[in-house]
Amino acid sequence: MLSYRPTVAPGSSGRLAVLQRHLSAVPLSGQVTSTVYPTNFCYTLDNNFLTREQRQFYEENGFLVIKNLVSADDIERFRKEFERLCKKEITVPGLLIMRDIAISKSEYVPDQKAITKLQDFQEDPELFRYCSLPQIVKYVECFTGPNIMAMHTMLINKPPDAGKKSSRHPMHQDLHYFPFRPSDHIVCAWTAMERIDRSNGCLVVIPGTHKGTLKQHDYPEWEGGVNKMYHGIRDFDLSIPRVHLVMEKGDTVFFHPLLIHGSGMNKTAGFRKAISCHYASADCHYIDVKGTTQENIETEVVELAKKRYGLSGLTLKDTWMVRGRLINGERTNL
């Protein structure tokens, strides 16, 4: 029997519906689905790796936490590589280094205290090793099938909030950024590099929203400003009950790209680190996002590519084609 130590999220209502038999249980706040499950699964594949209970949980909720999946030794290696990159001891082609909007240019120094996120580390052999860890790939294959592409990589270094609440990440759906489909063959693996809870800004999810559609995203109108590319769902209802994922170092959550999620402020004095990769089946296909809700992110990404590399005439598809790396099987479409 597994037990929860739930706390009620601000704005949530009703009592917690506790799942008593989820093999990857984590302390949660908010409500999770506890309905009768179907016999046919839409969001996982029949490869006999996930238990029936795990498949049922993901089917209804759109996420699945696996405890202690990544070793402390691996996490320490990723941490050291992150520090080397922050100190500019090494350079990596295509790596996007980001800092919080609250950090002024005059305060910038080559140190991890100024860096909030590394994106697109596919050309860094040490960090990219995370994406091909066998224990992670085994789970990924349950969602994508055997032909697996690593499409988007991040190491997040959520800073202590500077008082402007800019360390928050608005509630969003990752599919907003991706011009490839079908969404059910895309999954994110997100690993805690230390204990992550509500005090330092854990992930917040709305279970079951992976069954919905892609919503309109824009920059939220926050008084303290919003970090670059931090789009959120337009007119998001803050009263919707949420689940806070409390995770220990090495715990990994797999979640669907339509799952609505975000993260709160880091109210501690330390930095909160996590490493992640979005995977997709190599059999997925690209779409044209012009005339869709994703057109605004295409405009922003293309402008950034033009500014950084002097490239014009690109599409969102073009920017993703150069990032993808084959992890397993054959590179068919992506």
Side-chain angles (χ1 to χ4, degrees):
M1 182 72 69
L2 295 172
S3 62
Y4 290 91
R5 298 187 303 276
T7 57
V8 180
S12 66
S13 59
R15 298 194 311 169
L16 297 176
V18 179
L19 291 179
Q20 297 293 340
R21 290 183 50 79
H22 175 34
L23 292 179
S24 302
V26 292
L28 302 176
S29 64
Q31 296 177 330
V32 292
T33 303
S34 59
T35 58
V36 176
Y37 300 112
T39 56
N40 296 322
F41 297 101
C42 301
Y43 300 101
T44 54
L45 303 175
D46 297 322
N47 62 6
N48 297 319
F49 185 74
L50 293 178
T51 67
R52 180 176 180 82
E53 186 177 40
Q54 288 172 327
R55 295 185 71 182
Q56 289 172 340
F57 189 91
Y58 190 88
E59 187 80 12
E60 292 301 318
N61 295 287
F63 69 94
L64 179 68
V65 176
I66 306 299
K67 305 293 289 181
N68 197 30
L69 189 62
V70 179
S71 72
D73 288 343
D74 278 328
I75 288 174
E76 184 59 26
R77 288 177 60 177
F78 301 145
R79 185 184 299 272
K80 287 181 178 178
E81 184 73 355
F82 172 72
E83 292 172 357
R84 292 179 65 204
L85 289 165
C86 291
K87 294 176 181 178
K88 297 186 177 180
E89 294 178 1
I90 54 175
T91 58
V92 176
L95 183 70
L96 180 60
I97 300 176
M98 305 176 70
R99 57 191 176 89
D100 194 277
I101 192 173
I103 301 173
S104 68
K105 292 183 179 180
S106 61
E107 294 177 278
Y108 181 81
V109 291
D111 180 80
Q112 65 170 314
K113 292 182 179 180
I115 306 301
T116 61
K117 185 185 293 186
L118 300 180
Q119 285 200 140
D120 304 328
F121 56 67
Q122 65 272 5
E123 298 295 341
D124 183 295
E126 179 58 44
L127 290 183
F128 192 69
R129 194 173 57 81
Y130 167 80
C131 304
S132 57
L133 288 174
Q135 65 268 38
I136 288 183
V137 174
K138 285 180 181 178
Y139 280 97
V140 170
E141 191 170 348
C142 300
F143 307 99
T144 64
N147 298 326
I148 304 173
M149 295 289 295
M151 299 300 294
H152 183 229
T153 53
M154 289 192 302
L155 194 154
I156 305 132
N157 187 44
K158 185 188 280 283
D161 198 87
K164 296 184 178 180
K165 301 182 180 181
S166 57
S167 66
R168 294 177 294 174
H169 198 300
M171 300 298 282
H172 64 285
Q173 298 163 299
D174 288 339
L175 193 66
H176 171 65
Y177 298 93
F178 304 151
F180 38 90
R181 301 291 188 275
S183 60
D184 293 345
H185 292 164
I186 304 169
V187 69
C188 180
W190 193 100
T191 299
M193 294 178 66
E194 56 210 302
R195 176 177 169 82
I196 297 178
D197 55 30
R198 296 182 68 173
S199 67
N200 60 5
C202 63
L203 283 182
V204 181
V205 302
I206 302 181
T209 49
H210 66 300
K211 298 179 181 181
T213 59
L214 181 59
K215 301 183 181 298
Q216 179 70 49
H217 289 62
D218 294 298
Y219 282 111
E221 295 180 0
W222 286 352
E223 183 179 348
V226 186
N227 285 305
K228 192 73 171 175
M229 301 287 183
Y230 278 32
H231 289 194
I233 293 173
R234 179 186 291 177
D235 301 325
F236 179 74
D237 184 358
L238 295 175
S239 68
I240 298 176
R242 294 151 289 163
V243 168
H244 293 74
L245 300 184
V246 176
M247 299 169 66
E248 300 295 336
K249 181 167 70 172
D251 293 354
T252 301
V253 59
F254 297 89
F255 61 92
H256 192 282
L258 280 172
L259 182 74
I260 296 176
H261 67 287
S263 64
M265 288 185 294
N266 180 0
K267 293 177 284 188
T268 70
F271 287 75
R272 186 275 269 166
K273 290 181 176 63
I275 188 169
S276 72
C277 178
H278 279 90
Y279 300 86
S281 168
D283 303 322
C284 287
H285 60 274
Y286 286 102
I287 64 168
D288 184 355
V289 300
K290 286 185 172 54
T292 73
T293 62
Q294 293 178 260
E295 193 166 3
N296 60 348
I297 192 63
E298 177 175 61
T299 299
E300 191 167 345
V301 169
V302 167
E303 288 177 353
L304 179 62
K306 184 176 181 180
K307 181 179 179 180
R308 291 188 69 195
Y309 307 112
L311 300 175
S312 58
L314 296 178
T315 64
L316 190 59
K317 170 185 173 180
D318 296 328
T319 66
W320 282 104
M321 288 181 68
V322 300
R323 303 184 202 181
R325 295 291 183 274
L326 184 67
I327 292 294
N328 192 63
E330 298 181 6
R331 186 168 188 171
T332 50
N333 290 336
L334 292 186

